[in-house]
Structures are given as structure tokens and as C-alpha cells.
Amino acid sequence: MITHLPSRGLIIVRPGNYVFAKDLVFDPPVEGKNNVDTINAITIASSNVQINLNGFTLSQKVTPHHAFHLPLQKRFVVGIRVLDGVRNTVIRNGTIRGFASVGVSAIKQDRRNPAAINDLTLESLDLLRNGRTSNVNLPGFSSVAGGYAVGGGYFQPTPQDEEVLVQNKNIRIFNVNASENGPDYPQPFTPNQFIDAGTTTFCENVTIGNSQFNRNTSTDFAVNGLFASDCTNVLIKNCVGNGNRGVIESIGILAAFINKVTVEDCVANRNIIGGSSNVQSGFSDSASAVGFAFEQDTSLTVRRCTAKFQVASFSAQRCTGSQCFVPFLITRAHGFRFFRTKQALFENCIANGNILTAGGRTPSSAGEAAGYMFNGSRITMRDCVAMNNRVILTSQPGFTHGGFGFFLGLFVTDSGTFGQVRNPIFPLLFNVLYGRNIARGNGWRLTNCKRITPGTPASSGIYLQSNKGAVVNGATSSRNLGNGLRLDTGFVIVKRNSPPVEIPTTQSFILNNRFIDNKCKGIKNTSHGRNVFFNNVVKNNGV
């Protein structure tokens, strides 16, 4: 039984089953100024250990001596840490609350130790209100997991040898509630702080199920509810990432650089960004609220997921001193975002009601609200819904904006938004199968199509730019205040400092679709490619 914690924390060095007998409060010492050593309430230094919180709470004591402006807050304080090389660990059945940095950490630390942290289970845990004090914001540390952090790392045999990546294996996270983590006031130290409520990196064979990642915050920069990256063979099932809020970016569930990832029966709603930005001259600024984000993943499957009501509200302000106003502002609200994703299956998903407002003291500003935003290759999409995604652009008196506005059910592009090139890995090809989907939107509040800014896909239900071999089969795109379907030509920079190359949408098949009751054209084809149109119903559309 665990009945108390020493001031320097409890270190477990023998296998066994350790059970809490009561709530435990960890009161770490204050030792010296600028001390950045990690302090752990409990350290697991042995394999074959089970910690059963037995329904009790492990927390960090907060007193005036622990306020954000005092020396202790320039130090990481962790609830439970698992050391390198430890195997077969279970932490379950209780609450870990209020730690300055992370509730549970199983991140590989020692570059001289080749051993990974394998066979780790986190089960039936509430990881609440961790990472809320400013010591998470140390110089050199830009990403903090408030709830839990699990990840491999690097091993360097000798100073002369190249580092070798070590992956943790067999990670199981079930019934974990990692919510309300991250600071709830601006930080006095380093800005640009990412807060990740649940983090899994450099791991193999990962299962995350029946877990929640809600209402996490970053008051300086960006927040992710669930963040998984650089892994192999990941299953995310029955998870929720709702109501996370950052200044620059908020994502409910983010999976990046993963080979073989499946996401099923998950929800990511009402993730919000809002704030203002002052950046140096010559830089563009952007902000985004996203339900699900997939970045440079391979072999991705997404089934029966819902992303509704992401809200992006952003304003760029005039800078002072050596800085000046932002030359360009892009704000995005996406239900699902896919960036450089290869070989993806996407079916039975819903992306409704995602909305953004953007403006401020900028010479130009642009907004993009899309149910689904794709930049990738070999994507199959079936039986999905996108409705009522909206943009509202505003500008302060004395300043103007370009007025770009995208309201889209499906937006697939390889050349970048507004002609600004993303330098994609595969700049020439998309192979998109888009079948039996419903794409409807009614956000662009214009009285006629001629007022829509030329060159923008405003309010199109389906928009294909720079695609090759796309198939749109059995879709219904109706009641959009733009076009039902738009095929367009984009531009791609193949080499730096060279003129962009014009890439049309070509060799695409538009079959058996319904484009009806759209404010503008049912089908608008501004691409110079050769495409096949067959057996489509186009009626009751505008001009």
C-alpha cells in the first residue's frame, strides 16, 4: 500500500502491485534559482509494476511558494514517470491532477541507454488540469503534454556514432480522460507554446480507445487534444476531442507521420481558435481550428467520424516598434484536414457547420471553411456528408482585405490556396475517388454569383484543383451559394526560383452525379484538361 510520498518523490525499484490507500498530495521542495531538473511524485524504475490508484487522487500541492513567478515553476513536475528500459507497466483507476507539467510521462530520456519503454497500459484514469503553470514553458521546450506523454527517443552509442531511433512498443491507452490541461492564463516566459493533452510519439503497436481529450487550452499558441506522431500501426477508436482552445491552432485529434493508422467512431467538435497576432514584416500569418488533422500519414483509414462546429476567429493587429502589420492573413476552419497523406480510405463521416471569422489590420485577408480539405494521393472517399461550412470576413476601418472566401464541402488541391504553393511532395498527381457523398453549403451571403471574387472557389460543394484521374461518382451537391462542382487549374512550383507550372485537372471522370439548386453553375469547368462527364443531372442552377 502507498500511504505517503517523500519530499523528493517515491521511487519504485521492485516488481509488484502498488495500491493507493488514500488521496496523496506531492509537495516538491524549492531548491535554488533556475533549477530545471525534473521532479517526479512517483518514479517507476522496475519492470512488472502495477500502480492502482484505487479510486484516489494523486495531485501536486499548490501554495504561494509554487506560484508561477517563483523558482519552482522553472522546473518540470510530473505525477508518475516511467524510466527507460522498463517493461510491463500498468497505471490505472484514479485521478492525477494539477501537476505543473505532465500527469503521466513515459518518454525515453537517456540517449546512452538503448532500451525502450515497452508494454505500457494506462487505463481508467482522469488526467486533469496538468501543465497549467508556467514551468511548462521553459526556453528550449516548445511542446508539453498536460495529460500524458508516451514516446520513444534516440540512442547514441558513442559521441562519434550516428543516433539510432528507439521506438516504444505495445502501448495501450483505455478509458483515459485527459481534459482541461494546459495553462489558463498568458505565460510570462517563452511564447509559442504547444499543449498536447495526450501525446504518443515514436511508438509501434498503439491502441487508444474510449478516451476523451476535451477543453484543453494554450494561451500563447496552439493546442491538440490527442497528438500521435512518428508511429507505426496505430488504432484510435471511440475517442472524443471536443472544445480545445488555442490562440493560433486548435485540433481535436491529430495524427502525423504515421504508417498504418486507423481512426474509427471518433468525434471532434467545437475546437476553437481566437486571438490576435503581431509578426515581423515579410511573414504571412495563419490560424486554424480543425476537428481531425492527418499530416503525412501513409495507409490511413477513417471511418464513422464526426467533425462539427469548429470555430476560427482571428484578427491581426498593427505591430509596434521594429515590427509592422501582417501583410497577409489566412484563417481556416476544417472538419477534416489531410496534408500530404498517401493511400487513405475515408468513409461514413460527417463534417458540418465549421465556421470562421477573420479580419483585422491587414492589407489582405482570406478565409477557408471546408468540411474536408485534402492534399495527398490515392484517396478513396465514400458516403460522407459536408454541410453549412461558413466564412465571415471583416476588416477594421482604414484597412482593406482581399475578400477571399472558401465555403466548401470537399476541397482537393495540390498547388496551394490562393496560388501560394505549398511545395508538395507529389506536386502533379492526385488520384481521388469521391463517391455517393452529399456536399451542401449555404454560407456565402451574396445576392448574385458575379460578386464572388474571381479565381476563388467560394461556396462550391466539390472543388478539384490540379487533380489527375479523379472520380466523382454518385455525389449529390445541392443548394450551394456557389457552384455544385468546380474543376480548376492550379500552379505548382517544381523548382525554387523558377516560374510556376500550370497543372490542370485532367483525366477525371464525373459520373452519375446530381448538381441541383446551386446559386451559381451546377458544373463550372475552368480547367484546360480533358475530363469525362457522363449521366449527370444538372438542373435548377444559377449562372
Side-chain angles (χ1 to χ4, degrees):
M1 301 292 287
I2 301 177
T3 59
H4 72 283
L5 297 174
S7 63
R8 296 295 301 179
L10 173 67
I11 302 177
I12 296 175
V13 295
R14 295 185 178 87
N17 186 11
Y18 295 81
V19 181
F20 276 39
K22 60 180 182 178
D23 292 338
L24 295 177
V25 178
F26 181 53
D27 188 11
V30 177
E31 295 180 355
K33 299 179 180 179
N34 302 320
N35 187 337
V36 296
D37 291 340
T38 299
I39 296 180
N40 310 314
I42 298 176
T43 302
I44 300 176
S46 171
S47 295
N48 302 312
V49 168
Q50 292 192 36
I51 294 182
N52 183 355
L53 278 74
N54 200 24
F56 292 110
T57 297
L58 173 65
S59 62
Q60 177 183 344
K61 185 176 181 179
V62 178
T63 70
H65 295 292
H66 301 156
F68 66 85
H69 58 280
L70 292 180
L72 179 63
Q73 299 313 113
K74 294 175 69 67
R75 179 193 303 192
F76 283 105
V77 185
V78 175
I80 300 177
R81 182 181 294 278
V82 184
L83 296 185
D84 291 7
V86 168
R87 300 176 62 92
N88 194 23
T89 303
V90 178
I91 303 170
R92 61 188 180 92
N93 192 24
T95 300
I96 301 175
R97 176 192 296 269
F99 281 86
S101 182
V102 186
V104 176
S105 177
I107 296 289
K108 182 172 174 56
Q109 300 285 315
D110 190 353
R111 291 177 178 263
R112 298 166 297 178
N113 184 353
I117 302 170
N118 293 335
D119 302 300
L120 171 69
T121 298
L122 307 181
E123 184 176 14
S124 301
L125 293 173
D126 288 322
L127 307 174
L128 307 176
R129 302 182 68 83
N130 300 290
R132 303 188 72 82
T133 49
S134 60
N135 79 305
V136 303
N137 214 355
L138 291 169
F141 296 90
S142 62
S143 183
V144 172
Y148 67 82
V150 178
Y154 290 90
F155 167 61
Q156 187 174 21
T158 69
Q160 293 76 30
D161 291 337
E162 184 177 351
E163 292 182 328
V164 178
L165 176 63
V166 177
Q167 286 189 312
N168 295 344
K169 296 182 179 180
N170 305 329
I171 308 301
R172 295 170 292 273
I173 299 168
F174 297 109
N175 299 317
V176 169
N177 179 15
S179 298
E180 300 179 13
N181 298 285
D184 52 5
Y185 52 84
Q187 301 297 285
F189 300 120
T190 306
N192 298 346
Q193 176 71 57
F194 283 93
I195 296 294
D196 302 320
T199 299
T200 306
T201 60
F202 300 127
C203 291
E204 182 178 349
N205 301 332
V206 178
T207 301
I208 304 173
N210 301 321
S211 295
Q212 299 186 49
F213 308 89
N214 300 331
R215 301 181 304 283
N216 300 285
T217 60
S218 174
T219 53
D220 294 309
F221 202 57
V223 62
N224 301 311
L226 170 61
F227 174 57
S229 74
D230 299 278
C231 295
T232 302
N233 194 19
V234 176
L235 172 62
I236 302 172
K237 188 173 179 64
N238 292 320
C239 291
V240 178
N242 288 348
N244 299 288
R245 182 159 192 160
V247 175
I248 300 297
E249 186 170 69
S250 297
I251 300 176
I253 295 176
L254 169 61
F257 304 98
I258 298 178
N259 182 26
K260 297 182 182 178
V261 53
T262 299
V263 181
E264 295 180 334
D265 302 300
C266 294
V267 175
N269 295 341
R270 301 185 186 279
N271 296 289
I272 299 171
I273 63 102
S276 61
S277 177
N278 294 320
V279 299
Q280 293 181 354
S281 177
F283 287 87
S284 294
D285 210 351
S286 64
S288 57
V290 184
F292 296 84
F294 304 97
E295 300 182 359
Q296 302 191 47
D297 298 315
T298 303
S299 298
L300 167 68
T301 301
V302 182
R303 294 190 179 100
R304 300 179 301 278
C305 292
T306 300
K308 295 182 180 179
F309 313 125
Q310 323 312 321
V311 178
S313 176
F314 195 81
S315 177
Q317 306 297 329
R318 181 183 292 276
C319 306
T320 58
S322 62
Q323 298 178 328
C324 67
F325 60 81
V326 182
F328 198 82
L329 169 67
I330 305 173
T331 310
R332 302 180 176 95
H334 293 153
F336 296 83
R337 183 176 71 192
F338 297 74
F339 181 69
R340 296 182 183 175
T341 299
K342 295 182 290 184
Q343 192 175 339
L345 171 62
F346 193 83
E347 55 188 9
N348 298 109
C349 292
I350 298 173
N352 292 351
N354 300 289
I355 184 172
L356 68 87
T357 63
R361 299 178 179 182
T362 65
S364 60
S365 61
E368 181 180 302
Y372 308 90
M373 195 284 179
F374 290 126
N375 182 312
S377 61
R378 300 192 302 279
I379 299 169
T380 301
M381 186 176 182
R382 300 192 186 103
D383 303 308
C384 295
V385 176
M387 295 189 296
N388 301 321
N389 300 292
R390 299 177 53 196
V391 171
I392 301 172
L393 294 178
T394 62
S395 182
Q396 296 186 10
F399 295 87
T400 61
H401 57 65
F404 297 106
F406 290 7
F407 309 83
L408 305 160
L410 170 66
F411 181 31
V412 186
T413 178
D414 196 36
S415 65
T417 308
F418 320 114
Q420 294 185 345
V421 176
R422 297 188 176 100
N423 294 315
I425 296 175
F426 300 102
L428 302 181
L429 295 179
F430 278 103
N431 296 307
V432 179
L433 302 178
Y434 181 82
R436 299 190 307 281
N437 300 287
I438 301 170
R440 296 186 299 184
N442 54 11
W444 190 262
R445 299 186 181 279
L446 299 178
T447 57
N448 60 71
C449 299
K450 293 181 180 180
R451 290 183 57 188
I452 295 178
T453 305
T456 71
S459 196
S460 297
I462 304 169
Y463 181 82
L464 304 181
Q465 182 187 73
S466 302
N467 286 263
K468 183 178 180 181
V471 177
V472 182
N473 187 358
T476 298
S477 185
S478 63
R479 297 203 298 274
N480 298 288
L481 294 188
N483 304 296
L485 167 69
R486 179 164 172 174
L487 281 68
D488 203 358
T489 294
F491 296 87
V492 172
I493 294 179
V494 178
K495 294 182 180 180
R496 289 188 177 182
N497 302 319
S498 297
V501 177
E502 186 177 274
I503 305 296
T505 293
T506 187
Q507 298 178 26
S508 297
F509 293 85
I510 314 301
L511 313 172
N512 308 313
N513 303 290
R514 293 169 56 84
F515 306 108
I516 59 176
D517 298 321
N518 296 288
K519 184 74 173 180
C520 297
K521 293 184 177 181
I523 299 176
K524 184 173 182 178
N525 187 2
T526 57
S527 177
H528 305 304
R530 295 182 178 180
N531 301 289
V532 176
F533 298 83
F534 178 76
N535 198 33
N536 298 293
V537 176
V538 183
K539 65 179 182 179
N540 299 334
N541 299 291
V543 296

